[in-house]
Amino acid sequence: VIGQDRSKLPAQEWENPFVDVKSSDWFYRDVEYVVTNGLMLGTSTEPMLFSPNMALTRGMVVTVLYRIAGTPDVSGLPNPFDDVDDGKWYTDAIKWATSNGIVSGYGDGKFGPEDNITREQLAVMIINYQKYSGKKPSDVYTEREFADNDDISRWAKNAVKKLTMQGIIS
């Protein structure tokens, strides 16, 4: 799923429920894909919103990865974070992701599920998910550097490099 070119998927009948997603939007097919595959559900039911311009949070990204993995059972898995309350929509996903080495949090018992995710945090989560799943796209590009390469945190440099070579980020 990660890195798959959704523009080449066959057209499916889809009844778009979202008032903020139009068939002329550049992201229409991507919304269709994530909704029909149960990866994202939207942000509101009255009115029915997808919120395509909303920033992604750390909890949202982990939840999508958890759903890609098939929402595995988390019974008995610990919740190592003080800021992840039981029963939240992202709690099981964070327990799963932590137990499988996909996330580790900020330290001191903090995960920040409502914090906007940075590109480097996203890159590390995707690389860790690739390691977990054993599914990794082939490298399609040679190594390249960004103009702001010196601003990429050391802990994220390898993930950014790999995803750039895989063509997932640019």
Side-chain angles (χ1 to χ4, degrees):
V1 170
I2 295 174
Q4 184 177 2
D5 183 357
R6 283 167 292 290
S7 67
K8 295 179 180 167
L9 293 175
Q12 298 175 343
E13 288 298 318
W14 181 55
E15 213 169 299
N16 175 11
F18 303 109
V19 298
D20 58 350
V21 176
K22 306 290 181 239
S23 61
S24 58
D25 291 329
W26 66 267
F27 50 80
Y28 179 82
R29 295 280 305 205
D30 296 308
V31 172
E32 175 185 7
Y33 181 86
V34 298
V35 171
T36 59
N37 285 282
L39 304 179
M40 294 181 169
L41 308 174
T43 59
S44 170
T45 56
E46 291 296 325
M48 194 68 169
L49 298 174
F50 187 80
S51 303
N53 295 311
M54 173 188 256
L56 284 173
T57 67
R58 291 167 53 84
M60 288 175 181
V61 171
V62 170
T63 300
V64 169
L65 294 174
Y66 176 61
R67 290 174 179 163
I68 291 170
T71 59
D73 182 25
V74 297
S75 300
L77 293 181
N79 177 0
F81 302 111
D82 301 332
D83 61 348
V84 176
D85 295 329
D86 288 335
K88 294 284 191 173
W89 56 268
Y90 47 68
T91 304
D92 287 352
I94 292 171
K95 287 179 181 181
W96 165 82
T98 304
S99 295
N100 287 288
I102 296 165
V103 298
S104 59
Y106 294 132
D108 294 326
K110 302 295 179 210
F111 180 76
E114 301 291 338
D115 294 353
N116 290 345
I117 194 162
T118 65
R119 289 178 3 155
E120 60 187 14
Q121 291 169 353
L122 178 62
V124 169
M125 286 183 195
I126 291 172
I127 287 295
N128 289 342
Y129 181 82
Q130 288 180 0
K131 289 175 188 173
Y132 159 81
S133 70
K135 298 175 186 171
K136 165 181 117 57
S138 300
D139 292 347
V140 292
Y141 297 107
T142 58
E143 190 173 339
R144 9 178 211 177
E145 281 194 12
F146 297 107
D148 62 349
N149 194 59
D150 292 339
D151 296 333
I152 300 170
S153 299
R154 189 175 41 202
W155 53 265
K157 281 198 182 282
N158 187 51
V160 170
K161 175 183 165 183
K162 285 302 297 171
L163 294 181
T164 301
M165 292 172 69
Q166 292 171 1
I168 292 175
I169 59 175
S170 60

